[in-house]
Amino acid sequence: MKIIPFYKNEKQLIKKSAAGNREAQQRLYDTYAPKMLGVCRRYVKDLQFAEDVMINGFVKVFNSLGTFRFEGSFEGWIRRIMVRESISHLRKQQFVVYDGELYEETANKNEPLSVELDADHIQSLIDALPDGYRTVFVLYAVEGYKHQEIASLLAITENTSKSQLFKARRLLQKELRKQNIIGYGTE
């Protein structure tokens, strides 16, 4: 069976989707939904809520397609919408709690850990973080946002962002050390 592509390139697909072509919109959704669900899942623990956030994000994507200027990555543009939608969901759920402690530097914050982990295990460790820590950690370590951008997105101070990241890393390191001890049976 020979498959005939409906659209020769992404730009044409985006333009047809912006014009309301349902086939083109479905194709865009099918192309980007798996990646964007992963983005939403990093912020929202429950898979069903993450799916809801992703679908709401795609509604915003399709409503805003006319504003996309083809000046950067289309995937990056969608990703930013999904990140903002995830943060909006967390705010509505009132799960994100930030403390105001200042960022503290410690000598051992970058100690290397020798544990081989799979993606599901790492995600479960991130999911176990308190919501505020997890949100800042994912924005900084996974999405690559700077503390100033995180502070603006979450309406917190830059120092609070740094503090949340520090504490998230510390909790993750503690858990990894604990699992390393349990895994190898030594203390």
Side-chain angles (χ1 to χ4, degrees), residues 117-156:
L117 303 170
D118 65 3
D120 289 335
H121 185 69
I122 292 170
Q123 185 64 53
S124 71
L125 291 174
I126 293 171
D127 285 346
L129 291 171
D131 292 324
Y133 294 4
R134 184 181 65 254
T135 303
V136 171
F137 179 81
V138 171
L139 283 169
Y140 185 86
V142 178
E143 300 293 337
Y145 283 81
K146 305 271 188 254
H147 286 294
Q148 185 177 10
E149 295 169 313
I150 295 169
S152 175
L153 269 174
L154 301 177
I156 58 175

Side-chain angles (χ1 to χ4, degrees), residues 41-109:
R41 177 65 184 83
R42 289 185 196 117
Y43 295 92
V44 181
K45 286 182 186 180
D46 187 299
L47 180 60
Q48 292 174 346
F49 285 128
E51 289 172 342
D52 288 345
V53 168
M54 180 195 67
I55 291 187
N56 289 336
F58 270 105
V59 168
K60 288 185 179 180
V61 165
F62 291 127
N63 288 336
S64 303
L65 270 178
T67 66
F68 182 67
R69 298 181 186 163
F70 301 95
E71 293 175 353
S73 161
F74 182 64
E75 182 177 331
W77 184 76
I78 293 175
R79 178 182 294 270
R80 281 190 300 279
I81 291 172
M82 295 299 166
V83 167
R84 290 179 188 272
E85 190 65 24
S86 297
I87 291 169
S88 176
H89 169 79
L90 291 174
R91 281 189 182 140
K92 288 176 190 171
Q93 298 300 316
Q94 298 178 351
F95 289 137
V96 181
V97 178
Y98 299 98
D99 66 28
E101 292 181 29
L102 294 175
Y103 177 69
E104 301 170 19
E105 290 285 329
T106 60
N108 63 354
K109 76 175 187 180

